[in-house]
Amino acid sequence: MYREILTRLGEDPKRDGLVRTPERVEKSMAFLTKGYQEDPAKILRGALFDVDYDEMVIVKDIEMFSLCEHHMLPFIGKVHVAYIPNGKVIGLSKIPRLVEVFARRLQVQERLTRQIADTIQEAINPQGVGVVIEARHLCMMMRGIEKQHSSTVTSAMVGCFQKKETRSEFLSLVRGANNGNAGL
């Protein structure tokens, strides 16, 4: 398939630099879409803990790389996830793993945002979940409109995060000083 694409582009797939390109692209695509082989709920179930804590938990500035399902070009950004526990918490490293599972599928940013929030909500039934994604889309930067400095921000707010006060607290903490440095 990738050999045919090279031919259709007017290239010679037998040319020295392209001989192994179809194989490399196939491996690359398998890696970039490995989220289809992973179960997001299972990842979270492996690290749920009973804890008496009912304040906001935030994991912010999670690096995210995905492929736009419309052009199969990358979009790159940061994900901020918060939830307020209701008797159970998630092991902190599982939240970036959850982001990775959904990001490693052909995506649109809006669906990715919602999938993260809904999966956390279903896994631990917290008081609420908030997810914000800020990303730059190469499909807008390299082709089409060709705007280099635009970014897209999406959010999903579930439960108590739909209340103005909780939403505001989350957004202010995400935008907060030391952006991701936790005072270090």
Side-chain angles (χ1 to χ4, degrees):
M1 165 176 50
Y2 297 112
R3 189 172 318 290
E4 181 181 340
I5 291 171
L6 290 172
T7 301
R8 287 181 178 212
L9 291 173
E11 275 290 354
D12 175 7
K14 296 177 186 162
R15 183 167 61 80
D16 185 40
L18 297 176
V19 171
R20 295 194 56 223
T21 296
E23 175 186 326
R24 287 189 293 264
V25 172
E26 186 173 341
K27 285 181 182 177
S28 174
M29 290 303 292
F31 178 79
L32 294 172
T33 60
K34 68 182 182 174
Y36 290 112
Q37 279 68 55
E38 298 177 298
D39 179 354
K42 183 178 178 183
I43 288 169
L44 294 185
R45 281 193 306 268
L48 300 180
F49 307 101
D50 293 325
V51 175
D52 184 23
Y53 184 79
D54 64 355
E55 298 294 329
M56 195 176 298
V57 176
I58 302 176
V59 180
K60 67 181 195 172
D61 297 326
I62 302 166
E63 295 172 345
M64 179 275 307
F65 307 90
S66 192
L67 290 176
C68 157
E69 69 181 32
H70 300 133
H71 303 98
M72 292 179 66
L73 288 171
F75 63 98
I76 301 161
K78 291 185 178 184
V79 180
H80 314 288
V81 179
Y83 69 96
I84 297 179
N86 191 16
K88 288 203 178 298
V89 295
I90 301 167
L92 293 177
S93 69
K94 299 306 178 189
I95 293 174
R97 287 268 298 124
L98 178 66
V99 169
E100 180 85 358
V101 167
F102 287 122
R104 294 298 183 177
R105 299 175 180 187
L106 298 179
Q107 278 291 7
V108 294
Q109 184 174 330
E110 298 87 344
R111 181 186 319 114
L112 174 62
T113 308
R114 187 88 246 167
Q115 288 173 324
I116 295 165
D118 290 346
T119 302
I120 293 171
Q121 183 66 33
E122 290 169 15
I124 62 170
N125 194 31
Q127 296 177 51
V129 180
V131 177
V132 173
I133 299 179
E134 306 169 78
R136 293 183 181 260
H137 294 249
L138 269 67
C139 60
M140 285 179 53
M141 296 168 71
M142 294 176 63
R143 53 160 305 285
I145 194 71
E146 294 185 61
K147 296 302 175 198
Q148 305 306 306
H149 303 288
S150 64
S151 63
T152 301
V153 179
T154 53
S155 68
M157 304 293 172
V158 179
C160 67
F161 280 80
Q162 292 176 332
K163 294 179 185 171
K164 184 178 180 181
E165 312 80 47
T166 309
R167 177 189 299 254
S168 294
E169 178 184 353
F170 170 47
L171 295 175
S172 71
L173 291 168
V174 165
R175 289 186 209 115
N178 296 323
N179 199 20
N181 295 328
L184 300 177

